[in-house]
Amino acid sequence: MTDQFTLDGFRAPVTVDLAKKITKEKLLKFSAFCNWKDTLQKNLELQYTDRNHPYFEDPYLLRSIEIQSADYFGPSKVGFVKLKAYIRNQNWGQLPGIILLRGGSVAMLMVLRPVDSRDERWVVMTEQARVATGSLMFVELPTGLLDDAGDFWGAAAKEIEEETGFKLPKHELIDLTELALSQSKPEGDHSTDEALLDAVYPSPGGSDEFISILLWEKDLSRQEIMDLRGKLNGIRGQGKSIRLRVCDYEDLRRHYIRDTKTLAAWALYEGLMREGKIETELLKHRKLQDDRLA
């Protein structure tokens, strides 16, 4: 037998069946579940308020949730939850609802430019085992999980600093996903009215995972970059099987498109560079830095 409780906040009572390894209290403190629940509730309500909504005539309701399994980081911190949401309308049409909840993360595009040749760019990457892919040497952008408050300046910043050795001041970062998504929505596209985060969803068919992609661009002397390459290439992070690399920017598209984060970061960076938006943001950041030093 599984424990049950009723989830509040929806138009009809929602029964939640719990797996053995998780309690109601732990589930309702798991930020990934809370974020998913709140987003779903807001977007289900749009069916009733937007006459152009595709389901306005026959809206869907969340009927019940079955928590199928839970995994932990350490002895008590919930890391992943697998569930099935039963979402039906009056005609008993059902939406696909098998979901792996893992929450959000941040990926960092770290671009290093030699001061004597700013058209030349180098990128800091990580190589590590990713058992889900069957790989022991998967190359990707540095990544960190968000903390329970959804704030990069907690767990994610610490993880990336541990992996790369770089401190990343907030005033030096550009949120590429937010910058791209802040542009006007396409005419007649009502899907952009939904409550979604300014982030990339790499697997929306089965996971809530969302990734914000940040840019940190730094001008260094050529010798500093060459020294950094020699220092990082082949070095593994303490306590982790992570090898750091400094790669030619042109290799991102050529060799590392298996990683969604890297591909999305490259596409956003290229598009926003063409529009002049990144240079505008970098100029703002340089001015702020000059003001701090003045």
Side-chain angles (χ1 to χ4, degrees):
M1 294 289 292
T2 57
D3 291 330
Q4 289 186 343
F5 71 93
T6 300
L7 188 65
D8 298 325
F10 292 86
R11 285 184 172 252
V14 176
T15 300
V16 180
D17 290 310
L18 292 167
K20 290 181 180 180
K21 292 179 67 176
I22 194 166
T23 64
K24 172 184 175 181
E25 290 71 27
K26 284 189 177 294
L27 181 67
L28 294 181
K29 288 181 180 178
F30 182 39
S31 59
F33 177 79
C34 295
N35 291 337
W36 170 78
K37 169 184 68 70
D38 293 345
T39 301
L40 179 62
Q41 191 273 330
K42 291 173 185 175
N43 291 334
L44 286 173
E45 282 301 305
L46 288 178
Q47 299 173 112
Y48 300 92
T49 59
D50 181 1
R51 301 189 68 87
N52 293 312
H53 197 285
Y55 304 132
F56 179 77
E57 298 294 336
D58 191 11
Y60 283 87
L61 290 173
L62 176 62
R63 310 284 180 169
S64 63
I65 299 172
E66 177 189 350
I67 306 297
Q68 297 178 334
S69 65
D71 289 284
Y72 288 78
F73 297 150
S76 60
K77 182 177 175 60
V78 179
F80 302 94
V81 166
K82 182 175 179 288
L83 64 81
K84 184 170 184 180
Y86 294 87
I87 303 175
R88 300 188 180 96
N89 58 15
Q90 290 184 346
N91 292 320
W92 289 94
Q94 182 165 318
L95 299 178
I98 297 177
I99 307 159
L100 176 66
L101 295 178
R102 56 164 297 160
S105 61
V106 169
M108 188 65 61
L109 177 59
M110 307 172 73
V111 178
L112 310 177
R113 290 181 182 263
V115 292
D116 61 347
S117 177
R118 295 199 74 254
D119 289 337
E120 185 180 333
R121 289 166 291 183
W122 299 87
V123 178
V124 179
M125 305 286 285
T126 61
E127 176 192 288
Q128 60 187 307
R130 290 300 195 188
V131 177
T133 70
S135 172
L136 301 183
M137 297 185 296
F138 198 84
V139 180
E140 58 189 325
L141 293 183
T143 308
L145 291 173
L146 295 177
D147 62 16
D148 289 339
D151 185 0
F152 166 71
W153 305 108
K158 183 178 180 181
E159 279 189 60
I160 290 174
E161 183 179 340
E162 287 176 352
E163 290 181 3
T164 67
F166 288 105
K167 292 184 181 293
L168 303 173
K170 186 174 184 178
H171 66 271
E172 293 184 4
L173 299 180
I174 298 172
D175 189 331
L176 296 182
T177 38
E178 182 180 45
L179 188 61
L181 290 167
S182 65
Q183 301 177 58
S184 60
K185 66 182 181 180
E187 185 176 353
D189 185 357
H190 293 280
S191 66
T192 55
D193 294 331
E194 286 203 317
L196 293 172
L197 297 165
D198 290 339
V200 173
Y201 291 80
S203 187
S207 176
D208 72 316
E209 181 184 12
F210 61 90
I211 305 172
S212 295
I213 299 173
L214 305 184
L215 170 67
W216 183 71
E217 189 162 316
K218 195 76 170 176
D219 291 350
L220 297 174
S221 72
R222 181 171 298 279
Q223 189 60 51
E224 285 177 309
I225 293 176
M226 293 304 104
D227 290 346
L228 191 62
R229 288 186 68 198
K231 177 182 177 182
L232 294 186
N233 287 349
I235 301 297
R236 295 189 180 273
Q238 184 177 3
K240 291 186 178 181
S241 297
I242 297 176
R243 179 188 178 204
L244 297 176
R245 295 185 179 190
V246 179
C247 303
D248 191 319
Y249 171 81
E250 298 301 327
D251 286 339
L252 292 186
R253 176 182 56 82
R254 293 171 183 160
H255 303 305
Y256 303 122
I257 60 171
R258 287 188 179 88
D259 173 36
T260 304
K261 303 181 297 298
T262 302
L263 180 58
W266 173 81
L268 287 170
Y269 184 79
E270 288 286 318
L272 292 167
M273 281 291 286
R274 284 196 300 271
E275 295 174 6
K277 294 183 181 295
I278 288 179
E279 192 59 36
T280 299
E281 291 299 311
L282 289 173
L283 288 172
K284 289 179 184 176
H285 289 196
R286 290 179 191 130
K287 185 177 184 306
L288 287 173
Q289 181 70 11
D290 291 342
D291 291 344
R292 285 189 178 90
L293 296 175

